[in-house]
């Protein structure tokens, strides 16, 4: 399997930009009505957090999934905004937890407006996202959406419990990323299909596709934490190790390491993880046991399975349009550097 051709990559970027433009326009219209009568500070914080860049990947998946199933209208872009609202709400709360200074190259809401404003704005965005899903996707859509958001919170708790634990197993790792990432991405695709009135087979196919690319995205993210250029990723290298997260490259290394090297890794995980020398030793051990290459192969396998999940969409017209863009998006995950 290879990355998308240059022509297909250009098509994906062009469509993503066009969809993002329509989603942003829908957000502005929605916010004008939803924030009417609200405190001016709330409106300022919400606009600051929503219109500060971002790839709008979750709305894109909703739009493409609906288009695959035959529906593309103005309400679709309003539905897609719900996923951007939720995504930004989680970023606001992440920045509170991490006391982060920067997000997308500028001061976080926590730094600019304060801790309380960040928490409350995140709560407002979450509530608005639920309202839109319930209105546009009905009870089943809201149930799917709420199940994904509940699992995100639980996944964070599981990850917190496993932090720094060298006995973490690969099954636990994948359960965490499924709860934190995969279920939400699956729901973006499933709701696009539900909104379009798709049959159950297509809803499930798109949900499976979303779950698998969500997992692949997280594995690649784990690789970038070690191997990415901070200038591209916007994050300091080794942040996961400092936080005690046992990600896939390290898990694969622990599986293959000698007893002596496993003990060394365990010592490094339980000692001062902020020491640069500790991080460098861990990286060297991962390289020695091919942890990076093996994790990359897992990401490729996940993408292959995601592509296979799109089998119900076989007509030539679909192949040339939105389904092909979903394929290109899956392939892009393997080559991304941000």
């Amino acid at each position: 399997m290879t990355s998308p051709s240059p022509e297909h990559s250009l098509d994906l970027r062009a469509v993503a930009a066009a969809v993002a433009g329509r989603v942003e326009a829908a957000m502005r219209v929605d916010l004008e009505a939803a924030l009417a009568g609200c405190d001016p500070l709330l409106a300022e914080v919400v606009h600051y957090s929503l219109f500060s860049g971002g790839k709008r990947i979750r709305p894109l998946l909703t739009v493409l999934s609906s288009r695959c199933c035959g529906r593309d209208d103005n309400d679709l872009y309003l539905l897609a905004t719900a996923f951007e609202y939720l995504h930004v709400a989680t970023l606001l709360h992440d920045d509170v937890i991490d006391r982060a200074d920067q997000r997308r190259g500028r001061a976080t809401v926590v730094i600019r407006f304060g801790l309380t404003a960040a928490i409350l704005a995140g709560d407002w965005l979450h509530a608005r996202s639920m309202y839109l899903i319930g209105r546009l996707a009905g009870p089943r859509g809201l149930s799917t959406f709420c199940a994904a958001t509940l699992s995100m919170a639980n996944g964070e708790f599981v990850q917190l419990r496993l932090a720094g634990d060298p006995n973490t197993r690969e099954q636990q790792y994948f359960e965490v990323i499924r709860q934190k990432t995969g279920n939400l991405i699956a729901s973006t695709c499933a709701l696009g299909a539900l909104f379009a009135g798709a049959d159950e087979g297509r809803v499930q196919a798109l949900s499976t596709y979303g779950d698998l690319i969500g997992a692949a995205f997280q594995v690649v993210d784990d690789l970038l934490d070690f191997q990415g250029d901070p200038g591209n990723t916007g994050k300091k290298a080794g942040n996961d190790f400092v936080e005690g997260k046992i990600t896939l490259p390290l898990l694969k290394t622990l599986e293959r390491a000698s007893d002596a090297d496993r003990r060394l890794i365990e010592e490094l995980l339980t000692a001062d993880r902020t020491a640069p020398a500790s991080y460098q030793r861990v990286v060297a051990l991962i390289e020695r046991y091919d942890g990076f290459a093996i994790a990359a192969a897992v990401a490729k396998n996940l993408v292959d399975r995601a592509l296979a999940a799109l089998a119900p969409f076989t007509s030539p017209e679909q192949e040339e349009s939105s389904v092909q863009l979903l394929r290109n998006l899956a392939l892009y995950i393997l080559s991304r550097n941000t």
Side-chain angles (χ1 to χ4, degrees):
M1 187 181 68
T2 60
S3 299
S5 68
E7 294 81 6
H8 285 160
S9 295
L10 288 172
D11 289 345
L12 179 60
R13 286 198 294 269
V15 170
V19 169
R22 291 192 67 177
V23 168
E24 289 187 9
M27 283 197 292
R28 292 185 187 280
V29 171
D30 179 60
L31 292 173
E32 184 176 2
L35 289 168
C38 289
D39 189 88
L41 179 59
L42 171 60
E44 184 180 359
V45 174
V46 166
H47 279 85
Y48 182 86
S49 59
L50 283 171
F51 300 104
S52 61
K55 300 181 181 68
R56 315 294 194 205
I57 294 296
R58 290 152 192 83
L60 175 64
L61 284 166
T62 303
V63 169
L64 291 179
S65 295
S66 181
R67 288 179 179 177
C68 287
C69 300
R71 183 169 179 181
D72 184 6
D73 55 27
N74 288 336
D75 277 349
L76 172 59
Y77 298 88
L78 186 58
L79 176 71
T81 68
F83 286 102
E84 192 64 15
Y85 289 169
L86 177 64
H87 175 56
V88 171
T90 63
L91 296 182
L92 287 171
H93 289 168
D94 283 350
D95 288 343
V96 169
I97 293 166
D98 299 337
R99 300 294 196 272
D101 295 331
Q102 294 281 314
R103 169 73 66 181
R104 295 170 178 166
R106 64 177 184 170
T108 61
V109 169
V110 175
I111 296 299
R112 179 156 177 174
F113 298 98
L115 198 67
T116 301
I119 293 170
L120 294 176
D123 291 345
W124 189 92
L125 286 167
H126 190 180
R128 186 64 183 175
S129 69
M130 292 177 66
Y131 165 76
L132 291 174
I133 294 291
R135 187 182 122 199
L136 296 167
R140 182 178 174 187
L142 184 59
S143 177
T144 300
F145 182 79
C146 289
T149 56
L150 287 169
S151 109
M152 285 170 61
N154 187 61
E156 290 286 355
F157 274 95
V158 177
Q159 182 172 270
L160 184 63
R161 177 169 52 81
L162 296 173
D165 183 358
N167 295 312
T168 300
R169 295 291 177 260
E170 189 171 327
Q171 179 183 355
Q172 293 172 305
Y173 165 82
F174 276 107
E175 186 57 32
V176 167
I177 66 172
R178 175 161 283 109
Q179 291 194 57
K180 286 185 57 183
T181 305
N183 288 343
L184 179 62
I185 300 300
S187 75
T188 69
C189 299
L191 262 73
L194 286 170
F195 179 76
D199 61 58
E200 191 62 27
R202 292 189 174 193
V203 173
Q204 290 303 315
L206 286 165
S207 180
T208 299
Y209 163 87
D211 178 60
L212 290 165
I213 67 163
F217 186 95
Q218 188 59 58
V219 173
V220 172
D221 208 52
D222 294 343
L223 286 164
L224 288 173
D225 187 77
F226 285 106
Q227 299 180 307
D229 179 350
N232 291 327
T233 64
K235 297 183 287 186
K236 184 179 178 181
N239 190 59
D240 285 347
F241 172 72
V242 171
E243 293 181 2
K245 294 177 183 175
I246 314 296
T247 58
L248 195 60
L250 189 52
L251 275 171
K252 291 299 186 183
T253 301
L254 285 164
E255 285 177 7
R256 296 161 58 86
S258 67
D259 289 344
D261 283 340
R262 182 180 174 86
R263 284 194 298 271
L264 175 57
I265 293 170
E266 291 174 356
E267 290 171 7
L268 293 169
L269 283 168
T270 55
D272 180 10
R273 294 189 297 266
T274 63
S278 296
Y279 170 68
Q280 291 161 8
R281 293 179 77 181
V282 164
V283 169
L285 286 163
I286 295 173
E287 289 174 341
R288 180 185 304 172
Y289 290 100
D290 295 324
F292 295 129
I294 295 170
V298 170
K300 179 181 180 299
N301 177 261
L302 289 165
V303 167
D304 285 340
R305 289 165 57 198
L307 297 177
L310 296 175
F313 301 91
T314 56
S315 79
E317 290 182 2
Q318 292 167 333
E319 182 71 20
E320 293 171 0
S321 55
S322 297
V323 177
Q324 185 57 48
L325 289 167
L326 287 176
R327 291 191 172 96
N328 292 345
L329 181 57
L331 293 170
Y332 161 75
I333 288 170
L334 297 177
S335 61
R336 72 186 184 90
N337 61 3
T338 60

